[in-house]
Amino acid sequence: MGTLVTASSIRKSSIQHHHLQWRNTSLLPSCEICNRLLFPRKMLHLHTLVRSFAGKKSVKKLRRDGKEGKMKKEELKRDFADESDFVSGNNIGVELTNDNVVMKSALPSPSRRGVLQACVVTSGLMFAVGLLIRQGSHLVVKEGWPIYDCFTLVSFDFETWHLELIAGLVILISSARFLLLKTWPNFAESSEASNQMVLSQLEPLDYILVACLPGLSEELLFRGALMPLFGLDWKSVLVVAAMFGVLHLGSGRKYSFAIWATFVGLAYGYATIISSSIIVPMTSHALNNLVGTILWRYISDTSEQGLE
């Protein structure tokens, strides 16, 4: 016990000796951790005031310097807000300290397991809601309710000529996407951010799952349930396509991606009216998703090889 007291006293006297020495020479350690360990906050504040008076700086000048520092910080914030960068599809954060700018590390992309799990759960929920709406409309029509029967207006029937319609939709939508990626920077940025977030951690065979499940479930909900529920005409096509576009915002996707999704919804809605079958938009959507993922993977691999 006596040894501990003695060691503590020696440490305290040594700290006081070094403090007096630094105070006399007007020097402070450069390490912030050392400052906090060796000096209380009040002592550091007093020492700062002594140095400010020793440098003949008035209080007004100190306030003016502080305002100028705040103005510089606000300018830096605006500059970094206007020029936001992406690293692997994730935003780079910026943290402003008192003296400098610190770049935060990029947020990690979702894991392969997380992406696949989210895809299965979300697709399963949409599929279940679509089936519930279709079944519910069929039952209430039998009870005499004045609404449309989704089963009657849009069925699961398939005919040979539907293959031509499916092929036409795949060519139209895939070609339009390719042209927009080359000519519309905002759409290209939104698509890249979305693809990086969803596809960057997946294996090639996973693309079949993430392409087919959303294509099937989204079409069952939007074109197989909601659209016939409003009536199988152009008004319902426009309304459901607009809903489809708005729901595709987020996860790095901007207004341009919503416009694109609305256009795609119009094409699938028109195909549903022509065929009266949910199989046509389902198959077309899944194939277009698959073509888009394969194209993105090919372009990404080509770019990486070019950088090596």
Side-chain angles (χ1 to χ4, degrees):
M1 189 69 180
T3 305
L4 292 175
V5 172
T6 304
S8 176
S9 301
I10 293 174
R11 182 178 179 273
K12 182 176 181 182
S13 62
S14 176
I15 291 174
Q16 293 176 349
H17 172 71
H18 286 294
H19 167 62
L20 293 174
Q21 185 177 6
W22 280 324
R23 183 179 178 185
N24 293 333
T25 57
S26 299
L27 293 175
L28 280 173
S30 60
C31 179
E32 184 180 357
I33 298 177
C34 296
N35 287 335
R36 292 182 179 180
L37 289 175
L38 297 179
F39 303 105
R41 289 187 175 180
K42 294 183 178 180
M43 293 300 295
L44 286 175
H45 180 66
L46 178 61
H47 189 78
T48 304
L49 292 178
V50 172
R51 292 188 62 187
S52 63
F53 282 114
K56 297 180 180 181
K57 290 187 176 181
S58 64
V59 176
K60 293 182 178 180
K61 188 173 182 181
L62 288 173
R63 290 177 180 175
R64 185 169 61 253
D65 293 341
K67 290 181 180 179
E68 292 177 356
K70 291 180 180 180
M71 292 177 63
K72 291 180 179 179
K73 290 179 183 178
E74 294 297 328
E75 291 177 358
L76 286 172
K77 288 180 180 180
R78 287 195 297 269
D79 291 339
F80 280 101
D82 293 338
E83 299 177 5
S84 60
D85 297 325
F86 287 92
V87 175
S88 298
N90 299 316
N91 291 330
I92 300 177
V94 179
E95 181 179 2
L96 296 177
T97 62
N98 291 332
D99 300 321
N100 50 27
V101 179
V102 179
M103 302 300 293
K104 293 181 180 180
S105 59
L107 295 175
S109 299
S111 64
R112 173 176 177 265
R113 180 180 178 181
V115 171
L116 295 178
Q117 183 176 1
C119 178
V120 172
V121 172
T122 305
S123 298
L125 288 175
M126 287 191 294
F127 203 90
V129 173
L131 287 178
L132 183 63
I133 292 175
R134 287 176 61 86
Q135 185 65 31
S137 67
H138 183 66
L139 292 177
V140 297
V141 165
K142 288 184 176 181
E143 298 294 330
W145 287 40
I147 65 171
Y148 294 100
D149 187 354
C150 297
F151 272 99
T152 302
L153 295 180
V154 179
S155 66
F156 282 90
D157 296 336
F158 181 78
E159 299 180 17
T160 306
W161 68 271
H162 289 169
L163 293 175
E164 299 177 1
L165 185 56
I166 292 171
L169 284 172
V170 172
I171 294 173
L172 173 64
I173 293 175
S174 297
S175 301
R177 181 196 290 116
F178 181 78
L179 291 176
L180 289 177
L181 290 174
K182 296 297 183 181
T183 58
W184 196 358
N186 190 278
F187 175 70
E189 181 182 344
S190 298
S191 298
E192 179 63 21
S194 177
N195 289 334
Q196 284 283 354
M197 182 67 66
V198 177
L199 304 177
S200 59
Q201 303 298 326
L202 299 183
E203 300 293 335
L205 291 179
D206 298 335
Y207 293 165
I208 300 176
L209 183 67
V210 298
C212 293
L213 285 185
L216 300 178
S217 60
E218 289 177 6
E219 292 309 312
L220 179 66
L221 175 60
F222 288 95
R223 256 65 62 177
L226 294 179
M227 198 177 77
L229 191 64
F230 297 145
L232 206 62
D233 53 23
W234 277 108
K235 292 181 180 179
S236 63
V237 171
L238 290 173
V239 171
V240 174
M243 294 171 56
F244 187 69
V246 171
L247 292 176
H248 276 75
L249 287 171
S251 301
R253 296 173 294 196
K254 302 179 182 179
Y255 71 93
S256 57
F257 203 91
I259 295 175
W260 162 252
T262 302
F263 164 74
V264 171
L266 291 173
Y268 293 147
Y270 178 68
T272 304
I273 291 179
I274 294 176
S275 63
S276 298
S277 173
I278 192 60
I279 298 298
V280 172
M282 277 183 169
T283 308
S284 303
H285 196 156
L287 290 176
N288 277 313
N289 286 348
L290 188 59
V291 170
T293 55
I294 293 174
L295 179 63
W296 177 84
R297 181 60 181 259
Y298 173 77
I299 295 175
S300 299
D301 292 344
T302 304
S303 300
E304 292 177 359
Q305 293 176 2
L307 294 175
E308 292 178 354

